[in-house]
Amino acid sequence: MNFTLHQLKVLLKIAEHQSITKASEELYLTQPAVSLQLKKLQDQFELPLTEVIGRQLYITNFGKEIVERSKKILEEAEGIKYTVDQYKGLVSGSIKISVVSTGKYVIPYYLKDFMDKYPSVEIKIDVSNKVKVIEGLANNESDFSLVSVLPPDLKVNTVELIENRLFLIGSSFSNVKIRRPKDLEKVTLLFREEGSATRNAMQDYLKENNVNVKKSMELVSNEAVKQAINAGIGFSIVPLIGSKLFLESESVKFYHLKGLPIESKWHIIYNRGKKLTPAHQALLDYIEEHKEEIGQKYFSWALKEI
């Protein structure tokens, strides 16, 4: 048997996307090049790795076994490089961090100086909603995750970062007087999509205060929600960390109702028992050492009273 590490990487990307087209895009290769590598790998097995039903490509059960073993082979191959770098006194490797949508306003500030200090460490960031972030961490597809709500059904180690506060925001020109939670029944409420931690927090708040939602709109990103608020379409409970410009806007108002703001903490989390590489440990050590400094330098505005 004479397969290459490159062929295994190609197989993993095809399995991840169930598509040669998407795999080729992520690998920066042409579709024929990806198909050729898959064929060369397939030629070494009597059983099929993939099958096409209709126009959809699927990984066979045999192929899934090869995919899992390929992951281990590639991890060990990466480990050889880390070992060489260690003996040379370098910290290298790759780190994948999954981040909930609002976390994209937070995570870059904890990575910038780290990346300058360790230029041989490659960092990949995947931004998604809470459900997908936790699923990715549970399946060990991510090394770390940045979340504001800790997963109750997953055993994780945590590094606490800064506060995360959610406020009710709406147009300052609204004709509706919002003085108590029940007044929210008179306006259009703007929700994030299913699976969003912000949506869950907003729904929990409305339920706790017996607010019956009568008019609503669902949007798929924080930016879309903010634009809808700015346009005067409705009201929403949103994280302050992604709404800095609203603090200076005369067209947007922060409404102080019972039980608001909703407060939580941002956390870096990772699976208990995870085998940390030198790069993983270096990142954790850096964040622990500098988190207070970073919080004060970049996020002091988000911790003040509004």
Side-chain angles (χ1 to χ4, degrees):
M1 195 166 291
N2 189 28
F3 56 79
T4 67
L5 296 179
H6 180 61
Q7 290 166 358
L8 299 184
K9 289 179 182 178
V10 168
L11 176 63
L12 260 58
K13 285 302 175 185
I14 293 173
E16 179 182 347
H17 298 291
Q18 294 193 88
S19 165
I20 288 176
T21 300
K22 291 181 180 178
S24 66
E25 290 172 355
E26 189 160 335
L27 291 167
Y28 299 102
L29 297 170
T30 64
Q31 292 184 41
V34 170
S35 296
L36 178 61
Q37 293 303 313
L38 177 61
K39 182 180 184 303
K40 287 182 177 180
L41 182 62
Q42 176 63 75
D43 287 345
Q44 299 180 66
F45 301 102
E46 296 181 5
L47 298 173
L49 297 169
T50 63
E51 58 186 350
V52 177
I53 300 176
R55 300 182 65 181
Q56 178 63 51
L57 181 145
Y58 296 93
I59 304 297
T60 64
N61 288 335
F62 171 71
K64 290 176 182 177
E65 289 287 340
I66 300 302
V67 165
E68 290 306 310
R69 292 183 180 275
S70 297
K71 289 179 182 177
K72 296 176 182 178
I73 292 170
L74 291 170
E75 285 175 3
E76 289 301 319
E78 282 291 306
I80 293 173
K81 181 179 182 301
Y82 302 154
T83 301
V84 172
D85 287 339
Q86 276 184 275
Y87 274 85
K88 292 165 62 178
L90 300 174
V91 174
S92 67
S94 63
I95 301 174
K96 185 170 182 180
I97 306 173
S98 56
V99 178
V100 294
S101 299
T102 308
K104 65 178 177 284
Y105 301 108
V106 176
I107 195 63
Y109 298 96
Y110 289 89
L111 299 179
K112 196 274 178 188
D113 289 342
F114 172 83
M115 294 173 69
D116 290 342
K117 185 176 181 180
Y118 299 104
S120 296
V121 176
E122 177 187 2
I123 295 182
K124 300 177 183 178
I125 297 177
D126 178 37
V127 179
S128 189
N129 65 39
K130 178 194 170 187
V131 170
K132 292 182 179 178
V133 165
I134 298 304
E135 284 179 354
L137 190 69
N139 294 331
N140 203 32
E141 295 168 0
S142 302
D143 301 309
F144 302 102
S145 293
L146 177 67
V147 297
S148 59
V149 179
L150 295 176
D153 301 323
L154 196 61
K155 293 181 179 180
V156 295
N157 293 322
T158 70
V159 179
E160 186 177 289
L161 303 181
I162 60 172
E163 288 185 4
N164 181 45
R165 297 190 294 166
L166 283 70
F167 286 83
L168 175 68
I169 303 178
S171 172
S172 57
F173 306 119
S174 173
N175 294 322
V176 180
K177 301 298 180 183
I178 306 294
R179 297 190 177 92
R180 58 194 182 96
K182 289 291 282 185
D183 291 334
L184 294 173
E185 295 179 354
K186 306 172 187 176
V187 299
T188 299
L189 296 176
L190 308 172
F191 290 92
R192 283 286 308 280
E193 79 285 1
E194 290 285 350
S196 162
T198 300
R199 179 190 180 108
N200 292 342
M202 183 169 170
Q203 288 179 321
D204 289 344
Y205 177 80
L206 297 173
K207 183 177 180 180
E208 289 168 6
N209 289 279
N210 299 311
V211 177
N212 296 313
V213 179
K214 301 193 176 172
K215 292 186 292 182
S216 66
M217 177 184 291
E218 181 178 299
L219 300 108
V220 296
S221 71
N222 286 319
E223 294 305 317
V225 170
K226 287 188 288 185
Q227 290 300 321
I229 292 171
N230 207 37
I233 292 176
F235 292 68
S236 189
I237 295 176
V238 299
L240 180 63
I241 205 73
S243 309
K244 187 176 183 180
L245 293 179
F246 280 169
L247 291 172
E248 303 166 0
S249 173
E250 295 182 357
S251 63
V252 173
K253 180 178 178 180
F254 287 73
Y255 290 81
H256 297 274
L257 303 183
K258 171 189 172 186
L260 293 175
I262 301 169
E263 297 184 352
S264 61
K265 294 274 190 178
W266 286 106
H267 294 85
I268 291 284
I269 63 175
Y270 58 100
N271 288 315
R272 287 185 193 172
K274 181 175 180 61
K275 186 178 179 181
L276 298 176
T277 68
H280 296 156
Q281 192 61 58
L283 178 60
L284 289 174
D285 292 344
Y286 176 84
I287 290 176
E288 282 284 12
E289 182 180 353
H290 296 282
K291 63 182 183 180
E292 298 297 334
E293 170 192 340
I294 294 170
Q296 287 299 318
K297 183 177 181 180
Y298 296 107
F299 301 109
S300 57
W301 63 269
L303 307 177
K304 295 178 180 178
E305 290 298 322
I306 296 176

